[in-house]
Amino acid sequence: MSGAVGFDLDMTLIDSRPGIRAAYQALTAQTGVHVDADLAVSRLGPPLRREIGEWFPADQVEEAVTTYRKLYAEFAIEPSVPMPGAREALDAVRALGLRVVIVTSKLGRLAHLHLDHLGLVADEVAGDLFASAKGSAILQHGVRWFVGDHEGDMVAARTAGVPGIGVATGPCTTDELKAAGAAYVLPDLTGFPALLREIAVGS
């Protein structure tokens, strides 16, 4: 079987909330600008600039983004952990002869740090993309199904014309993922291998 399965990263394959919380706390300590880290990690998915813009004046956003990304490698990688079923999900993809493609709003180099730290292997990583912008990477890398936890991921799948598989492990509910166009919705990744075998055989 040829092609690939695409995955979002944060709250799909990895629980990055502990590390991102620590990075935001470090950003507050360094800049003196309060960021409610708990609130920020409750709505992961959209681009970093959107979240930073909730806390910093517009003319300070770019500088704050640069500072945050410098802090990220120090504070955010070590505490992050795989989501339940993540390793088995990637194994299931490869068992069918398919490639693993990560398409994330996180910068590619930061995504690679997470994957390397956790021993999660991807064939391709496309970073700094969100919602419809992910669609071009999905098409470019031959992704046949795209898995994500956010409404924006289902928009990405629709944009690319591939089925979206929602996992209700992030900020979006099952109903929200369905409303955004998910072809399938799972509570988490533990049910993904069985679903993939079922839909791959029928494709």
Side-chain angles (χ1 to χ4, degrees):
M1 185 176 294
S2 63
V5 178
F7 293 87
D8 172 56
L9 187 62
D10 292 298
M11 303 312 300
T12 298
L13 284 175
I14 68 169
D15 185 349
S16 51
R17 290 172 299 184
I20 291 177
R21 182 183 293 109
Y24 276 125
Q25 289 168 341
L27 181 66
T28 291
Q30 183 157 325
T31 64
V33 176
H34 174 69
V35 175
D36 185 333
D38 289 322
L39 178 58
V41 300
S42 74
R43 53 192 185 195
L44 297 180
L48 174 62
R49 283 178 180 81
R50 185 181 303 181
E51 186 63 48
I52 293 289
E54 295 289 325
W55 310 103
F56 286 80
D59 62 349
Q60 296 178 25
V61 166
E62 289 307 311
E63 183 179 357
V65 166
T66 299
T67 300
Y68 173 88
R69 284 175 170 159
K70 288 177 180 177
L71 295 166
Y72 193 96
E74 179 180 356
F75 289 93
I77 306 302
E78 183 73 27
S80 299
V81 296
M83 294 296 289
R87 297 187 192 281
E88 294 81 0
L90 301 190
D91 288 345
V93 172
R94 293 209 165 85
L96 290 172
L98 298 164
R99 293 174 294 112
V100 171
V101 177
I102 309 296
V103 188
T104 174
S105 63
K106 194 182 302 301
L107 288 184
R109 64 178 176 82
L110 298 179
H112 276 291
L113 289 177
H114 278 296
L115 295 170
D116 292 346
H117 175 68
L118 296 174
L120 299 174
V121 179
D123 297 288
E124 303 285 349
V125 175
D128 202 18
L129 300 167
F130 180 64
S132 59
K134 289 185 174 183
S136 59
I138 290 172
L139 287 170
Q140 177 186 346
H141 294 295
V143 168
R144 297 174 60 181
W145 301 276
F146 188 65
V147 186
D149 68 287
H150 196 278
E151 293 164 305
D153 297 318
M154 301 305 103
V155 171
R158 289 205 328 265
T159 300
V162 303
I165 301 174
V167 284
T169 48
C172 298
T173 66
T174 295
D175 287 343
E176 288 169 336
L177 292 167
K178 288 179 179 176
Y184 311 92
V185 180
L186 300 169
D188 56 41
L189 282 176
T190 58
F192 175 77
L195 173 63
L196 180 62
R197 287 190 295 268
E198 178 184 337
I199 60 180
V201 167
S203 65

